[in-house]
Amino acid sequence: MEILFVLMALLMVGFVLLPYLRRRRGMIEQVPAGHPDAADPETYGFARTEELDIRMPGPDQDLLDVLDVVQHTQDYRAAQQLLAGTETGGELRWQRVQAFAGAAALELQQRPGGVGETPGGQWLRVWRTEAPKDAGGAAVHAEFLVQQAWRTSTRGTDDFRIIMEEAKDACGQAALLSPGDPIPYIVELSVARGLQYEQKEFEQLWLKILDRAPAHMGAHLAALHYWCEKWHGSRELANSFAEAAAARAPQGSLLAAMPLFAVFEHLPEVNLVSGFYESEVVTKAMHGALFAVHAARPDDPMLAHVRHLLIFFLVRAERWSEAMNQLIHVDGHVGALPWTLSPDPAGEFAVYRALAVAGYEANGGSPATLPH
């Protein structure tokens, strides 16, 4: 009983603080020191905070193995072969393109190069030089330029625009190398945000993607940003886009979860409304996402993305058991919204996990009662 009282007390402290969490510049601020360490993560089979992988939302061992080879040898060919063997236009290929581009961008950031020093990410430059007709390399290069613009330049500056214009050209080149592939156009969605495409131009770009991959979840998430209030749209336009995607979602598609992502993108700067996360709008969006997760293929590459966002909302709504049911599927990887908006994704995830465990145990749950 004493342990139960402690857990309940810690839980109450946590939720006095949680409503005041701010989302500034797209980040969720960390809960202050002293957050509940509800239980040893290993009791539930959870990874310790220092073991959480912040690179990806879920496991992709083939990708990790290839990244390790490429970064240790600086030879691009393993990456080339992996992409060549990945379904063109699929969710997995898009995630792998992003991962390779991100790895090269991070290497360059860590080793910018100087006199007599080879800059990081050199393997991607060699890839483009030695295999200029390779569609995979072209797509990775385009995404690399987009990430470089957002990482190293300030939006609206000449440097930012120059890199984005280069990325736009790279998207065009990648599209020519693989005419039926939506990925070069998905990369261009970020360019559209950065270069402030007019809505008509953006819609023309979006139609090219719908022609090639109408149910591509990653593409819809990238497009949603454009329609959000903080970019070039509004809350109404973003909700309309998300609800239309959910309405036309084929059986088993995760597009039914799109309204929850739209809600997340427009969370209030400071939430002082009691019961906000139990409101009709939020509850309806959560139920749509839960339905999508239940109906999706277990190997859907986007499934982990939806589960991570559900954890955030389910914890805020004090739906402990449902939050725990999502945690057991994704724990170990935290490279997804909302955690990636924090400067410490693993720490942010660990806070919500601890709250979920505390709430679960305070209501009679235990490792023995948690389904696996």
Side-chain angles (χ1 to χ4, degrees):
M1 286 297 293
E2 291 181 2
I3 293 176
L4 179 58
F5 287 137
V6 170
L7 288 170
M8 292 178 69
L10 289 171
L11 184 63
M12 291 177 67
V13 170
F15 273 86
V16 168
L17 295 171
L18 274 175
Y20 296 91
L21 291 178
R22 293 177 179 266
R23 297 180 67 246
R24 294 177 179 169
R25 298 179 184 177
M27 290 188 177
I28 301 174
E29 291 185 2
Q30 188 72 337
V31 173
H35 64 74
D37 182 12
D40 185 338
E42 293 185 354
T43 303
Y44 287 84
F46 293 151
R48 295 191 175 277
T49 304
E50 61 271 18
E51 298 170 343
L52 294 170
D53 190 328
I54 66 173
R55 294 171 295 180
M56 298 183 299
D60 184 348
Q61 194 58 49
D62 289 341
L63 174 61
L64 291 179
D65 291 343
V66 168
L67 275 173
D68 185 61
V69 169
V70 169
Q71 293 183 314
H72 278 83
T73 66
Q74 290 295 297
D75 187 333
Y76 68 87
R77 284 175 292 184
Q80 182 185 36
Q81 291 170 4
L82 182 65
L83 282 184
T86 307
E87 180 189 2
T88 300
E91 305 281 4
L92 187 60
R93 184 179 175 90
W94 169 229
Q95 290 190 18
R96 287 173 171 177
V97 165
Q98 289 180 296
F100 287 131
L106 182 59
E107 283 185 42
L108 182 59
Q109 181 180 338
Q110 294 172 339
R111 300 193 310 277
V115 178
E117 181 183 356
T118 302
Q122 185 66 19
W123 54 269
L124 179 54
R125 297 178 185 83
V126 175
W127 187 354
R128 292 297 294 131
T129 301
E130 293 187 354
K133 301 294 186 182
D134 181 63
V140 172
H141 180 240
E143 174 66 14
F144 165 81
L145 291 170
V146 167
Q147 293 194 26
Q148 277 295 95
W150 292 113
R151 284 170 181 260
T152 64
S153 304
T154 302
R155 181 172 167 244
T157 63
D158 288 342
D159 285 346
F160 180 85
R161 176 167 287 278
I162 289 169
I163 300 174
M164 277 297 187
E165 291 286 1
E166 187 180 354
K168 184 177 181 179
D169 291 341
C171 289
Q173 294 169 20
L176 289 174
L177 291 172
S178 185
D181 189 351
I183 289 178
Y185 300 104
I186 298 174
V187 176
E188 192 179 345
L189 291 172
S190 291
V191 176
R193 273 194 299 130
L195 294 182
Q196 302 180 49
Y197 282 21
E198 294 292 335
Q199 288 190 5
K200 183 176 181 181
E201 185 180 5
F202 183 86
E203 288 168 351
Q204 290 172 345
L205 170 63
W206 182 240
L207 285 174
K208 293 177 182 178
I209 295 171
L210 290 183
D211 286 344
R212 292 162 174 80
H216 199 290
M217 180 71 172
H220 280 79
L221 291 178
L224 177 64
H225 291 303
Y226 178 90
W227 294 114
C228 286
E229 191 173 64
K230 61 187 175 184
W231 289 105
H232 308 299
S234 66
R235 182 190 302 266
E236 292 73 24
L237 285 172
N239 288 339
S240 177
F241 175 80
E243 288 167 6
R248 67 170 182 269
Q251 179 65 32
S253 169
L254 287 166
L255 288 178
M258 284 298 299
L260 189 64
F261 285 88
V263 169
F264 177 76
E265 291 295 337
H266 294 91
L267 287 178
E269 189 74 9
V270 181
N271 176 35
L272 299 177
V273 180
S274 177
F276 172 79
Y277 289 92
E278 294 86 38
S279 67
E280 182 179 354
V281 170
V282 176
T283 299
K284 181 181 177 182
M286 279 196 289
H287 286 170
L290 287 166
F291 169 80
V293 165
H294 178 74
R297 301 191 328 269
D299 62 346
D300 190 313
M302 296 301 295
L303 185 55
H305 287 273
V306 181
R307 290 191 188 278
H308 279 291
L309 195 64
L310 271 170
I311 290 165
F312 171 89
F313 278 99
L314 291 168
V315 167
R316 291 290 186 97
E318 302 183 30
R319 293 167 64 164
W320 315 117
S321 180
E322 290 167 290
M324 292 293 285
N325 286 337
Q326 301 305 319
L327 276 166
I328 61 176
H329 290 287
V330 298
D331 189 79
H333 298 83
V334 296
L337 286 175
W339 327 121
T340 50
L341 297 180
S342 167
D344 179 14
E348 186 81 18
F349 174 84
V351 168
Y352 280 81
R353 185 177 63 183
L355 289 167
V357 171
Y360 184 65
E361 293 187 348
N363 286 274
S366 71
T369 60
L370 187 65
H372 286 79

